[in-house]
Amino acid sequence: MKVIFLKDVPNVARAGEIKVVANGYGRNYLIPKKLAIPAVAETINLVEAKIASKVRTEAKTEAEMIEIASQIDGREIFIEARSGGKEKLYGSVTNADIASELENITGMIIDKRKIKLNEPINQIGSYDVVIRFTKDIMPAIKVTITEKKD
């Protein structure tokens, strides 16, 4: 039986692949669990159109990420925080704080989960921070923490 896989099936096929499987395996397992559909001319054309649409969307999204990365790469942002003695902060500066400051400066919304901190920022000073959009697109910014004047 020839089927088109809708989802990844470990050690069998990836989503979008067309493979020949045993009749019982396809009819009793793959199709009822909606992991695959029978491969006929109509479904093959439908799946190819979906794959092409997905590729176009991913390319557009990646181009947008590259544009944002080029605008923020190498930027320096300043964050004021309350501190106690010996330049120790009362709390810590989180990736959410960095994301909101980037949004204030650049006007672009950056997901706080994409900001990677090597260690918690809990002292006054300068820190290098990487923003990981994808495994290939990783702009770096410099975050400078200063003492908040009351």
Side-chain angles (χ1 to χ4, degrees):
M1 168 180 252
K2 200 173 191 179
V3 295
I4 301 171
F5 285 86
L6 300 175
K7 297 181 182 174
D8 291 348
V9 179
N11 300 325
V12 179
R14 298 185 58 92
E17 286 186 13
I18 300 172
K19 284 207 168 182
V20 176
V21 297
N23 288 338
Y25 183 57
R27 193 171 44 249
N28 298 326
Y29 181 74
L30 295 175
I31 295 172
K33 293 200 179 265
K34 299 190 184 337
L35 297 174
I37 55 175
V40 293
E42 302 158 359
T43 56
I44 291 172
N45 293 337
L46 181 68
V47 169
E48 287 176 352
K50 282 184 180 180
I51 290 172
S53 173
K54 184 178 177 181
V55 167
R56 283 191 305 271
T57 304
E58 287 175 356
K60 182 180 176 186
T61 303
E62 187 170 344
E64 290 172 357
M65 285 185 204
I66 290 171
E67 175 68 25
I68 292 171
S70 67
Q71 290 180 10
I72 64 173
D73 192 25
R75 280 238 170 145
E76 184 172 3
I77 63 170
F78 298 93
I79 298 177
E80 289 184 347
R82 292 183 50 209
S83 66
K86 299 182 182 176
E87 299 184 349
K88 188 105 168 120
L89 299 179
Y90 281 125
S92 62
V93 175
T94 64
N95 49 2
D97 297 328
I98 296 169
S100 67
E101 188 64 26
L102 272 172
E103 183 178 348
N104 291 341
I105 293 172
T106 62
M108 293 178 276
I109 298 172
I110 296 173
D111 188 6
K112 68 180 182 181
R113 294 172 291 192
K114 302 224 182 259
I115 298 173
K116 303 299 178 196
L117 298 174
N118 294 335
E119 57 194 33
I121 299 175
N122 50 20
Q123 284 193 323
I124 292 176
S126 293
Y127 299 88
D128 292 323
V129 176
V130 174
I131 301 170
R132 186 181 176 113
F133 290 120
T134 65
K135 67 179 182 177
D136 297 330
I137 304 171
M138 296 187 303
I141 61 171
K142 187 171 197 150
V143 177
T144 302
I145 310 300
T146 58
E147 186 175 357
K148 190 175 204 175
K149 304 293 182 195
D150 289 329

